[in-house]
Amino acid sequence: RLWSAKREDGETRVTADVTEPPRFAFIGVRACELNAIAIQDRVFLGGPFADPHYQARREDAFFVAVNCGQAGGTCFCASMKTGPKAEAGFDLALTEMLEDGESRFLVEVGSDEGHDVLAALPREPATAADEATATGIVARTTASMGRSMPEGNIRELLLENLEHPRWDDVAERCLTCGNCTMVCPTCFCTSVEDTSDLTGTETSRERRWDSCFTMDFSYIHGGSVRSSGKARYRQWMTHKLATWFDQFGTSGCVGCGRCVTWCPVGIDITEEVRAIQGGD
């Protein structure tokens, strides 16, 4: 809830609703997710106006990252330079090392808070061999990515091909279900909904998660701006990989591959870029 209002004795009182959330600890965060959180920080905290609801949840959050020891079949973080090793944004980062059926963890400290937590745990100093093993694990993961984003200036490629026939091809397959936006760690689209009581003296506005794949998302007086599946997919992909640079100075994709994994018809964002790049 963003705010509530109440009319009493001829006066209307509006109250902003920013509650103090509980502290959060995120365990097992991957490098791609840390990069996604950094993007969300730029979106909600980096401009002249910070979002107080996001800010309240973001402050004092504790992150325990895990460097990936195995790449998934839809991962392409290496080509996006967002993984598989966590480089920043964590309090503690773990690399699991399996030896003789036993699991050990190499721990990297990323903050004072992380140092305090580690100080309270049983531990022993890492050896040069431990560090070499951890480095080798990450290197093997990097080499085993299931996919890769094509090289080149993807922003210019997409913006110069807004009428490419590939958009029609993907529209024939896309169900506009919104799965990709629900699992993408950088998607942040929302809508607002106003409700009032039966007497008309109390009302409130709530923000809810939304998707650019819904018909109502781009609705203005007279109809939807993006009424076709082609237009909505093109909007999502070009925003993620092109105009995001104009808004926030970075790509909106971190290579997690979840949009590929959860697409019920198997649309692959890297394949779509490669098809447009190749002129198919």
Side-chain angles (χ1 to χ4, degrees), residues 171-194:
E172 292 180 358
R173 293 175 286 144
C174 179
L175 304 177
T176 65
C177 64
N179 266 15
C180 50
T181 60
M182 287 189 284
V183 298
C184 177
T186 66
C187 279
F188 58 84
C189 288
T190 58
S191 183
V192 293
E193 187 174 79
D194 294 342

Side-chain angles (χ1 to χ4, degrees), residues 1-277:
R1 190 166 65 176
L2 300 177
W3 54 261
S4 58
K6 184 176 183 180
R7 187 173 61 201
E8 197 171 33
D9 298 329
E11 295 185 359
T12 301
R13 184 177 68 255
V14 179
T15 304
D17 191 345
V18 183
T19 58
E20 185 174 343
R23 291 191 64 187
F24 292 101
F26 297 91
I27 313 298
V29 183
R30 305 293 168 156
C32 59
E33 295 168 331
L34 289 173
N35 278 273
I37 292 168
I39 290 173
Q40 297 280 12
D41 286 350
R42 283 194 288 276
V43 173
F44 290 106
L45 303 177
F49 305 103
D51 184 292
H53 302 272
Y54 179 87
Q55 188 174 37
R57 287 161 174 75
R58 183 68 175 86
E59 291 177 348
D60 298 325
F62 191 86
F63 296 94
V64 179
V66 175
N67 295 321
C68 295
Q70 181 177 355
T74 58
C75 295
F76 56 97
C77 67
S79 62
M80 300 302 293
K81 297 180 174 53
T82 57
K85 184 182 187 304
E87 301 291 350
F90 58 84
D91 296 287
L92 294 173
L94 311 178
T95 303
E96 185 176 17
M97 301 180 293
L98 296 173
E99 297 176 356
D100 300 325
E102 294 187 357
S103 180
R104 297 190 304 130
F105 291 92
L106 182 72
V107 185
E108 181 181 353
V109 176
S111 70
D112 293 339
E113 291 78 8
H115 181 274
D116 293 341
V117 170
L118 184 62
L121 300 175
R123 64 201 183 284
E124 60 185 46
T127 65
D130 292 329
E131 294 183 12
T133 298
T135 299
I137 290 172
V138 172
R140 287 193 297 273
T141 304
T142 301
S144 63
M145 289 282 150
R147 282 165 171 75
S148 64
M149 182 64 73
E151 296 181 355
N153 192 330
I154 296 175
R155 176 189 176 278
E156 296 300 322
L157 173 73
L158 296 181
L159 295 183
E160 291 174 0
N161 288 277
L162 296 179
E163 299 302 327
H164 195 282
R166 185 70 182 190
W167 300 118
D168 293 303
D169 177 78
V170 74
E172 292 180 358
R173 293 175 286 144
C174 179
L175 304 177
T176 65
C177 64
N179 266 15
C180 50
T181 60
M182 287 189 284
V183 298
C184 177
T186 66
C187 279
F188 58 84
C189 288
T190 58
S191 183
V192 293
E193 187 174 79
D194 294 342
T195 57
S196 60
D197 66 356
L198 294 178
T199 66
T201 58
E202 295 186 22
T203 186
S204 64
R205 171 169 292 179
E206 294 185 350
R207 179 166 55 188
R208 57 180 174 82
W209 202 4
D210 206 346
S211 169
C212 60
F213 277 91
T214 64
M215 277 285 289
D216 290 341
F217 185 77
S218 66
Y219 182 87
I220 58 175
H221 179 67
S224 176
V225 174
R226 292 182 285 273
S227 58
S228 67
K230 170 186 174 180
R232 295 198 288 278
Y233 186 87
R234 182 176 56 192
Q235 155 65 21
W236 175 74
M237 185 167 151
T238 55
H239 187 210
K240 193 70 58 178
L241 298 177
T243 54
W244 208 296
F245 283 98
D246 301 326
Q247 288 182 283
F248 309 114
T250 182
S251 172
C253 176
V254 294
C256 67
R258 288 177 179 143
C259 60
V260 184
T261 301
W262 289 99
C263 179
V265 295
I267 296 173
D268 180 346
I269 190 173
T270 65
E271 179 184 326
E272 298 309 312
V273 173
R274 191 169 285 107
I276 294 175
Q277 191 178 57

